[in-house]
Amino acid sequence: MTDLVRYTKNGDVGVITIENPPVNALSPGVPEGIDEAIQAIAKDPEVKAAVLIGGGKTFIAGADIKEFVKLTSGTRQNDIGILPFLLKIEDSTKPVVVAIHGNALGGGLEVAQACHYRVASADARVGQPEVNLGIIPGAGGTQRLPRLVGVEKAIEMCTTGKPVKASEAVQFGLIDRIIDGDLLAGAVAFAREVAGKPTRKTRERTEKLGNAEQNAPVFAAARESARKKYRGMICQLAAIDAIEAATKLPFEKGCEEEARLFYQCLYSDQSKAQIHAFFAEREVSKIPDVPKDTPTIPVNSVAIVGAGTMGGGIAMVCANAGIPVVIKDTDQAALDHGLATIQKNYATSVKRGRFTQQYVDERLKLIKTTLNYADFANADMVIEAAFENMALKKEIFAELDRACKRGAIISSNTSTLNIDEIAAVTSRPEAVIGMHFFSPANVMRLLEVVRGRKTGKDVIATCMQLSKKLGKVGVLVGNCRGFVGNRMFLPYIREAQFLVEEGATPEQVDKALVDWGMAMGPLAVGDLGGLDIAYRIRKEFRHLEKPGARQPFVEDRLVEMGRLGQKTGSGWYKYDGERRASSDPEIASLVKKWNAESGIPQRQISPEEIVDREIYIMVNEGARILEEGFALRAGDIDTIYVNGYGFPAYRGGPMWYADTVGLKKVYDRISEFHRQHGALWEPAPLLKKLADSGKKFADYERDSARAAD
Ligand code: ZOZ
């Protein structure tokens, strides 16, 4: 056997164990090792059946994604070659039982499908998540899965990419038996039950494939829904095509079609971008001066200041992770209101089937309220989520310094204020850090962890670890105005206003960006969050703008008219009682009038120019952030944008996207905008440097980054 696969015997059952930590990916050596074991079993008259199982925490989590990168970058020539070895498993005359715990994902589930029987622990997860990487199953999954679970379920699993629990998969025939207790022992016993019986080859099964007439409307509906739900993405449609091939072609031909579509997707820019996003998300936890073995502080209880929208959302996040929380506010009415909102949000989740009532009752028991800081005395961590005002935060932090035990982490959820200034009012700035959750906190995956000048490394390590426990993607950023996400987002929403002030309609601006892949247009986003928020920030920080720099004016006027967005029924759009947007003729005439008064020349603006200006203004700011060291890597900025700002994963994030366009081209276009629109478009020095030397943001490594100071 190879080093990655171990073969042992348990009496008359051969046990093949994959030992390729951490996730038992199908790296080179794993298929070969399994193949050798299957051959050994075939030759051994004592062995009547086989069990295939994962060593460590999981079964196989899929193909080795690093091998895909080698293929597409040209450092590996041959294909991945998993298909032929799966045929050999399936052709074994002695039954092969796969025993699944942890995850059987992608190529891992495809291996399982080629085995004759599948048993699993109840909490194991099985899925075809390839679409999250912009590809489709490439080792027969689109051909065998519909044979096991039917066309509709196969389409659902391959297009959503969502894994299902084994306890659910047993109901639709993907798993044959759930094993309670010791999985290996249960699987060996199962193997003995089926030993000697004729083996069933999945590829020869046809009973669930349906016929052309039944399938036609299913495929038509699936394509229509995929086009809507996954706007602009190609892999979901390719997965549907491959599954349709399973229903129309013999297995071998279907596999050829699957391979063609698989490679088409794999070599696409979309897949390269999504694979980048996958690895970038895992890279964020690597902080050069905070190594993996940095000691962490146990966080077994959290105290939250403020029962408003953010405080309540953060309380739910903690409770969902099993951490008890106490929320403090200044009066009982605020606490009652906050708690009622939390209860309402949980009730909605129960109604939608996301949580059971029992789960919610348990979570609610973990949430307490108080009017006194004295109840913070035992908290391991505080998250302050009060109103965004420096004087108020300073007052609160001085109180927290008095109330909290030594060793507690004291964090702020501020999105705009200076963490060092807040930390300076305490006697322990090393315990102070920013935990910038995004709204709604219980939904959004992104969490910016903001490092102050004096923040302790143990505090950083703890917050990064905690973010994972809370189900968030924590990204360490430096302490600059707006941190990373909002620092780039402010120019983006400002540019959207300039476009309107030059003659584009709000609809044209938003549509160009939505068509390009953004989850929402920038003006609609403003309406959703409330135009008064950006208004306040603009006013508060106006003195820091470059003197004489162009300022937008239309949105300020909308706010001054009381058009604050969705909450007032009108902003850039008007909204009905269900908060559905429609174009507002009043806006069109107001903007026309104001624009005429402003003297700004009016013109038609193409969708291409709208997208270039919107995305490149962010990229330019991102380049500054990177050079100034407020983000550790370009990939960290991409992770922030894909997880917190509705940036399409299939474009990889703003910095990756700029790399794919080519930094010389991006620099030239930004220089053109600089000539046309002035100082706000001054190209970032790093962008120029990389463009001149033919490099990419992905190549850029700063010697010392402020996020790592
Ligand atoms: O890691 C989580 C996960 O979701 N992994 C990806 C699962 C996935 O997408 N599988 C499908 C892969 S594509 C595929 O299988 C295509 C296919 O059909 C085969 C095609 C064959 C071609 C035939 C051509 C005709 C997971 C849920 C598994 C675990 O989550 P955790 O939070 O516990 O751990 P992570 O995410 O921090 O990961 C730990 C380390 O493992 C690395 N890793 C994970 N999955 C990998 C992988 N490396 C390579 N390949 C994978 N599939 C991950 O990068 C991390 O590494 P470090 O260095 O950051 O620790």
Side-chain angles (χ1 to χ4, degrees), residues 493-528:
I493 52 174
R494 183 184 62 205
E495 200 62 25
Q497 296 170 55
F498 289 155
L499 286 159
V500 172
E501 291 167 12
E502 290 165 34
T505 64
E507 291 79 2
Q508 283 167 347
V509 173
D510 280 351
K511 182 174 185 310
L513 286 148
V514 169
D515 287 350
W516 185 80
M518 297 298 289
M520 282 176 87
L523 301 170
V525 169
D527 273 1
L528 176 68

Side-chain angles (χ1 to χ4, degrees), residues 119-368:
V119 301
S121 314
D123 61 353
R125 301 185 323 148
V126 293
Q128 300 286 175
E130 287 86 347
V131 285
N132 298 327
L133 303 170
I135 53 175
I136 65 168
T142 62
Q143 307 302 299
R144 286 194 181 88
L145 189 60
R147 287 173 158 84
L148 289 170
V149 304
V151 169
E152 273 179 79
K153 198 75 201 172
I155 293 176
E156 184 191 319
M157 288 182 71
C158 293
T159 56
T160 65
K162 282 199 190 118
V164 290
K165 281 244 177 87
S167 50
E168 194 187 320
V170 79
Q171 290 161 25
F172 52 82
L174 184 53
I175 299 295
D176 296 298
R177 186 182 293 172
I178 297 294
I179 304 282
D180 298 320
D182 187 88
L183 178 64
L184 179 60
V188 167
F190 186 97
R192 292 207 172 100
E193 277 176 44
V194 293
K197 292 193 184 153
T199 53
R200 334 170 279 180
K201 292 182 191 173
T202 307
R203 68 178 192 268
E204 289 174 0
R205 294 170 67 169
T206 54
E207 70 272 17
K208 288 195 177 172
L209 284 180
N211 61 44
E213 207 182 326
Q214 287 166 336
N215 288 336
V218 175
F219 285 115
R223 288 193 173 96
E224 196 188 322
S225 143
R227 278 194 196 99
K228 262 196 223 134
K229 200 163 160 201
Y230 308 106
R231 268 179 309 117
M233 290 182 69
I234 56 173
C235 59
Q236 282 83 6
L237 292 168
I240 297 169
D241 288 351
I243 294 169
E244 188 169 35
T247 66
K248 293 192 165 159
L249 300 174
F251 179 80
E252 291 70 22
K253 292 278 169 218
C255 285
E256 281 171 23
E257 181 60 2
E258 178 192 80
R260 187 185 71 75
L261 291 160
F262 171 84
Y263 283 113
Q264 200 177 69
C265 290
L266 182 67
Y267 282 89
S268 69
D269 284 344
Q270 294 194 357
S271 169
K272 288 178 195 160
Q274 284 179 258
I275 288 178
H276 157 71
F278 176 86
F279 283 118
E281 188 181 315
R282 275 142 191 91
E283 193 78 10
V284 292
S285 59
K286 293 168 190 143
I287 304 160
D289 72 329
V290 185
K292 269 210 152 68
D293 55 2
T294 305
T296 53
I297 301 158
V299 177
N300 296 316
S301 59
V302 168
I304 294 171
V305 183
T309 314
M310 284 314 286
I314 296 168
M316 290 172 75
V317 171
C318 294
N320 291 347
I323 304 174
V325 284
V326 54
I327 313 176
K328 179 193 173 296
D329 214 312
T330 43
D331 60 76
Q332 193 57 42
L335 287 176
D336 292 346
H337 184 260
L339 204 55
T341 308
I342 291 173
Q343 281 161 343
K344 200 175 103 207
N345 288 340
Y346 272 131
T348 310
S349 297
V350 172
K351 218 161 61 200
R352 293 195 181 143
R354 213 179 131 227
F355 296 145
T356 63
Q357 190 57 49
Q358 188 198 344
Y359 174 92
V360 166
D361 292 343
E362 283 164 11
R363 305 300 123 182
L364 283 170
K365 273 193 214 131
L366 293 173
I367 304 177
K368 304 257 179 307

Side-chain angles (χ1 to χ4, degrees), residues 1-2 4-10 13-19 24 29-42 47 49-55 58-60 85 89 92 94-99 101 111 115 184 187-188:
M1 299 319 111
T2 65
L4 306 178
V5 176
R6 191 158 44 87
Y7 176 57
T8 50
K9 284 204 283 186
N10 182 327
V13 176
V15 178
I16 310 167
T17 309
I18 302 145
E19 302 280 11
N24 285 328
V30 174
E32 293 82 351
I34 299 176
D35 191 20
E36 280 174 41
I38 293 286
Q39 286 180 38
I41 287 164
V47 175
V51 166
L52 175 62
I53 193 165
T58 183
F59 187 64
I60 302 167
F85 113 87
I89 298 181
S92 163
K94 299 178 184 176
V96 182
V97 177
V98 66
H101 71 301
V111 170
C115 295
L184 179 60
V188 167

Side-chain angles (χ1 to χ4, degrees), residues 22-23 61 63-65 80 106-107 110 130 137-138 263 278 282 286 468:
V23 297
D64 186 336
I65 304 167
I80 310 276
E110 290 172 296
E130 287 86 347
Y263 283 113
F278 176 86
R282 275 142 191 91
K286 293 168 190 143
K468 200 161 181 183

Side-chain angles (χ1 to χ4, degrees), residues 415-418 478-484 486-488 490 537-538 540-545 621 625 630:
S415 53
T416 52
L417 302 174
N418 185 331
N479 179 29
C480 58
R481 189 156 61 89
F483 311 130
V484 170
N486 284 345
R487 178 168 160 186
M488 289 165 69
L490 284 177
I537 296 173
R538 273 197 297 277
E540 195 170 334
F541 294 111
R542 189 144 290 175
H543 63 288
L544 299 175
E545 301 285 349
E621 196 63 35
I625 289 173
F630 291 109

